[in-house]
Amino acid sequence: KCATRREEKENRELAEEKLIEFQKKWTKYYLEKYLSKKTEITFNEYLWEWLERKKNKVVYKTFEGYKTIIRRIDKYFSAKNILLEELTVRDLQQFYDYCNKNLKISNNTIIKEHKLIKSALECARKEELISKNPADYIDSFRKEDTEKVFLKEEKMEKIIQAIGDNKISTPAFLASKYGLRRGEAVGLRWSDIDFDNNTVTIRNSVIDIENTDKDAMTKKKQVNRLKLKTKASFRILPLLMEVKDYLLNLRKQQKENRDRFKTSYNT
């Protein structure tokens, strides 16, 4: 019993460590229970196994992000051949130091790496493959403030002119006027535009997903998510006059093309 919950938690964790040490050294219980559970899986091998289980639980973009992080972890740990149950706090700290000093990776990226590792090791602990999660004992990293860079209106206009008239003209134009994310700009539909009340509603986004079609030429395809990543992303914006004129002309052009090409028109 301690004065604060934090001290009590630290004492409990310390007691658990001491108990395991005692069991390792002196008791038959350790020999029967712990050694029988030993597994030859390495830390980096377990991460790939953990990722495979995540495949159907997260969106494709998140899964690909996890894969990128695990590739970097795998490259570092594969040469060391550290078993999952033998991974230490020091091993993890040395990896983070390597990322920071040798690879010049920012603290914000290391925080993402640590979050992934901690989550995977927690699964291993629940599966009783390890007795404790070494990632719990890593000191927290200081989050770095990223500087926001804004383009001046004249430079933005030059970029829009340089893009010209092609399939990215409309999303680029809309993104420049409203600061939309790429998926939001591509995901905007006519039903989101209210020409009577002069509003634009941001409530849909386009995302990449794995292309499971047998005859597919590409590994991924784009689909309407029909929602946004967070509730805070939903917003109603004023329909600017220059945007309104642009969209009315675009709708008129689409109607003419639809009438001209009929069933051959690509919606």
Side-chain angles (χ1 to χ4, degrees), residues 133-146:
N133 186 343
D136 287 339
Y137 303 94
I138 297 288
D139 293 333
S140 58
F141 302 93
R142 182 177 59 83
K143 195 170 184 180
E144 297 172 356
D145 293 328
T146 53

Side-chain angles (χ1 to χ4, degrees), residues 3-16:
T4 65
R5 288 185 178 180
R6 183 174 180 179
E7 287 178 346
E8 204 166 298
K9 183 185 176 186
E10 288 173 356
N11 272 3
R12 190 181 298 111
E13 289 170 351
L14 184 62
E16 287 172 357

Side-chain angles (χ1 to χ4, degrees), residues 26-39:
W26 304 106
T27 68
K28 187 180 178 183
Y29 174 84
Y30 169 75
L31 293 173
E32 292 177 350
K33 297 286 184 179
Y34 282 80
L35 293 183
S36 64
K37 289 180 182 176
K38 284 192 75 171
T39 174

Side-chain angles (χ1 to χ4, degrees), residues 37-48:
K37 289 180 182 176
K38 284 192 75 171
T39 174
E40 293 302 312
I41 189 170
T42 61
F43 167 56
N44 45 306
E45 285 172 345
Y46 180 79
L47 287 181
W48 288 116

